[in-house]
Amino acid sequence: MSVTHKIQRTANAPAGPPSDLETKVAQSLIELESNVPDLKNELRPLQISAAKEIDVKGGKKAIVIFVPVPQLKQYRKVHSRLTRELEKKFADKHVVFVAQRRTLAKPTKTSRVKQKRPRSRTLTDVHDKILEDLVYPTDIVGKRTRIGVDGSKLLRVLLDSKDANSLEYKLDSFASVYRRLTGKEVTFEIPVQPTE
C-alpha cells in the first residue's frame, strides 16, 4: 500500500500535496501494518487526513494526527497500542489523535440556510469533542471555567485519577495542543484521591 492511499483529505483538511510530516506518519502506519501482525487487520482500513507538529513547553514537540470522523471509532480500538508504537518511532514527541471536525457559521438573518445547523457543527461542541479526543482513553470527570479580573478565561479540566501514571507526562502537551487548535487557555489536573 502506498503513502497516498493512507492520506485522505476530508472537508476542512489542508488542500494540496501532503507535507513531509504527513508522509512520515503515513509511512509509519504502513510499516506498523506490515511489521506488527496483531495490528495488521485493524490498521489496513485506517487513514489520516492531516498531521501537525506543535511546540510544547520545555522544548518538546507533539504530533497531532487528524483522522476522518467516521474512522475515529476504529482508531480508538487500537489507540493505546498505536500511540505507544508511534511515540517509539518519533522519539521525544508525544502523539495525539484528533478527529477532523468541521464547524458551520451561526446562521444570520441574511444567510440563506435551508436547514437547521446540527449541534455537532457548533463551535462549542467541536471544541468539547477536541478536548475528549485529546485525553482519550481517560475520562473527563469535571470542567471549571475561571474568569479572571481582566476578563480572561481559563478552563480547568479534571481527568480521571485511575490513569494518572500513564498521562502525567503528557498534560503540558495536551494544554499546548488545545491552545493551538482552539485558541483557548486550558489546564489539565488529576484530582488526588484521599487514601484511607
Side-chain angles (χ1 to χ4, degrees), residues 12 100-106 117 120-127 130:
N12 55 341
Q100 183 80 49
R101 292 191 171 84
R102 128 182 270 169
T103 59
L104 293 177
K106 194 172 185 178
R117 175 176 65 154
S120 64
R121 302 288 191 279
T122 62
L123 189 69
T124 308
D125 193 61
V126 168
H127 286 185
I130 288 173

Side-chain angles (χ1 to χ4, degrees), residues 131 135 140-144 155-159 186-191:
L131 200 58
V135 299
I140 296 173
V141 294
K143 283 190 221 174
R144 308 282 186 271
L155 183 66
R156 279 179 54 213
V157 178
L158 306 173
L159 302 176
V186 66
T187 58
F188 291 93
E189 298 174 12
I190 299 174

Side-chain angles (χ1 to χ4, degrees), residues 72 76 79 96-101 128-137:
L72 186 63
R76 288 191 169 172
H79 184 275
V96 177
F97 290 96
V98 176
Q100 183 80 49
R101 292 191 171 84
D128 286 346
K129 297 290 186 194
I130 288 173
L131 200 58
E132 289 173 19
D133 290 349
L134 277 179
V135 299
Y136 186 83

Side-chain angles (χ1 to χ4, degrees), residues 151-194:
S152 61
K153 289 184 178 181
L154 176 69
L155 183 66
R156 279 179 54 213
V157 178
L158 306 173
L159 302 176
D160 199 350
S161 58
K162 67 178 169 62
D163 299 317
N165 55 356
S166 64
L167 282 181
E168 196 77 51
Y169 68 100
K170 279 187 168 186
L171 296 181
D172 287 339
S173 296
F174 291 160
S176 299
V177 168
Y178 191 74
R179 186 181 313 111
R180 179 76 186 273
L181 295 179
T182 64
K184 294 179 178 177
E185 290 293 324
V186 66
T187 58
F188 291 93
E189 298 174 12
I190 299 174
V192 179
Q193 294 292 331

Side-chain angles (χ1 to χ4, degrees), residues 1-10 22 25-26 29-30 33 42-51 65-75 78 82 97-100:
M1 181 177 262
S2 68
V3 173
T4 52
H5 287 97
K6 276 290 181 193
I7 300 173
Q8 173 198 3
R9 297 296 195 193
T10 52
E22 292 167 349
V25 170
L29 287 174
I30 292 170
E33 185 182 316
E42 285 89 359
L43 287 181
R44 183 168 296 279
L46 298 182
Q47 297 173 313
I48 65 168
S49 57
I65 301 172
F66 294 95
V67 300
V69 178
Q71 294 182 1
L72 186 63
K73 193 178 258 186
Q74 295 163 324
Y75 265 102
V78 292
L82 189 58
F97 290 96
V98 176
Q100 183 80 49

